[in-house]
Amino acid sequence: MLSKNQIKEIQSLQLKKFRDSHKLFIAEGIKTVCEIIDQRPLALKEIFATRDFIEAHAEKINTLRVTEASETELKKISLQNTPNHVLAVCHYFEEPQSTFDFKNNFSLYLDDVRDPGNLGTIIRLAGWFGLSTIFCSPASCDFYNPKVIQSTMGAFLRVNVVYTDLTELLAPVPTMPVYGAVLNGKSLYVEKPTNGLIIIGNEANGISEQNLKLITNPITIPAGSQNNTESLNAAIATSIIVSEFFRQLKLHAV
């Protein structure tokens, strides 16, 4: 059973200032929590779960701190419309290193991507295509936002997300190709990609003025028809671009 104080403390982790203060975040769902148990058990502070979950996973969780909670209690601490059978409170991960081998790999830089669903989906597709690290501007959505964690479907355990200013990131690699997803760039399917960095802009405003100046290779996804569709969703555009880079740089290299 959860106390009122426990409920209040867990609810507070829905807000970034409290997550940062306590260095704790929330993860929900059987699949996600089980992956944390398997891959990063030391990150777990406490698990709150129904009796059914506890009995079904008794062997897996027998050395962990687990509190039984009713579905009513889980509903109070969950962000989901239909709460899952389990919620975990986890410690922040160790800060990932900002160094990256751009010579032999490509990565993403998210320039003020604010929507947690977009960030979570991009982390998920980064995991799918084998990108071990992606980069975000300091003003981008918080990695530990519960909606980000939820939408990654466990990929947040396998993809490092580094928050850094773009000029600082590029300083050690001044001659590296920097691709930018813009409306007036060279067609993605004509450009011959190389390893480097791909900038994805803000959902409403695109790539910021200061970062536009750092792009060496502007690229665009050509539209099939002129039907007044102004742009693509940030996560969809990222998936198309990363898929093409992966096809040319990774599959053709095999």
Side-chain angles (χ1 to χ4, degrees), residues 33-230:
V33 174
C34 285
E35 285 195 59
I36 297 171
I37 293 170
D38 290 337
Q39 297 180 34
R40 296 208 185 190
L42 295 179
L44 287 162
K45 180 177 185 289
E46 188 165 2
I47 295 172
F48 301 91
T50 61
R51 179 178 293 274
D52 287 346
F53 177 89
I54 293 171
E55 291 178 350
H57 300 84
E59 186 174 347
K60 185 187 288 284
I61 64 176
N62 64 358
T63 61
L64 302 173
R65 185 179 176 186
V66 181
T67 296
E68 183 179 335
S70 67
E71 291 186 7
T72 300
E73 289 173 325
L74 286 173
K75 189 173 183 179
K76 290 180 180 179
I77 59 176
S78 172
L79 279 178
Q80 307 302 310
N81 292 328
T82 304
N84 287 284
H85 292 278
V86 59
L87 178 149
V89 174
C90 305
H91 299 284
Y92 274 18
F93 300 156
E94 185 178 343
E95 196 74 23
Q97 297 294 317
S98 60
T99 54
F100 186 80
D101 181 14
F102 286 108
K103 184 177 180 180
N104 296 303
N105 297 282
F106 68 91
S107 187
L108 297 167
Y109 185 86
L110 308 185
D111 187 6
D112 291 4
V113 170
R114 302 292 182 90
D115 183 84
N118 280 338
L119 177 55
T121 300
I122 291 170
I123 294 171
R124 185 178 179 183
L125 75 88
W128 178 262
F129 286 109
L131 304 185
S132 61
T133 301
I134 65 173
F135 302 88
C136 292
S137 66
S140 290
C141 183
D142 175 31
F143 172 73
Y144 294 110
N145 183 304
K147 293 180 181 178
V148 172
I149 297 297
Q150 188 73 21
S151 56
T152 69
M153 295 300 290
F156 73 97
L157 295 165
R158 298 177 288 278
V159 178
N160 293 321
V161 179
V162 178
Y163 288 80
T164 181
D165 183 81
L166 183 57
T167 55
E168 293 180 7
L169 178 63
L170 297 180
V173 282
T175 61
M176 179 183 68
V178 179
Y179 298 87
V182 295
L183 293 176
N184 58 349
K186 188 175 181 180
S187 169
L188 172 67
Y189 305 114
V190 174
E191 178 76 23
K192 181 65 177 176
T194 61
N195 287 312
L197 189 67
I198 307 164
I199 305 176
I200 304 295
N202 172 271
E203 292 89 347
N205 303 312
I207 298 171
S208 62
E209 287 294 328
Q210 65 267 29
N211 289 338
L212 279 172
K213 298 174 184 178
L214 301 174
I215 295 172
T216 61
N217 300 61
I219 56 174
T220 193
I221 302 168
S225 62
Q226 300 300 320
N227 60 0
N228 296 322
T229 301
E230 293 184 358

Side-chain angles (χ1 to χ4, degrees), residues 15-34:
L15 300 177
K16 185 179 187 302
K17 65 178 181 179
F18 293 111
R19 290 195 297 273
D20 287 346
S21 173
H22 298 293
K23 301 296 181 185
L24 297 172
F25 70 97
I26 295 170
E28 293 189 63
I30 294 173
K31 178 182 182 299
T32 298
V33 174
C34 285

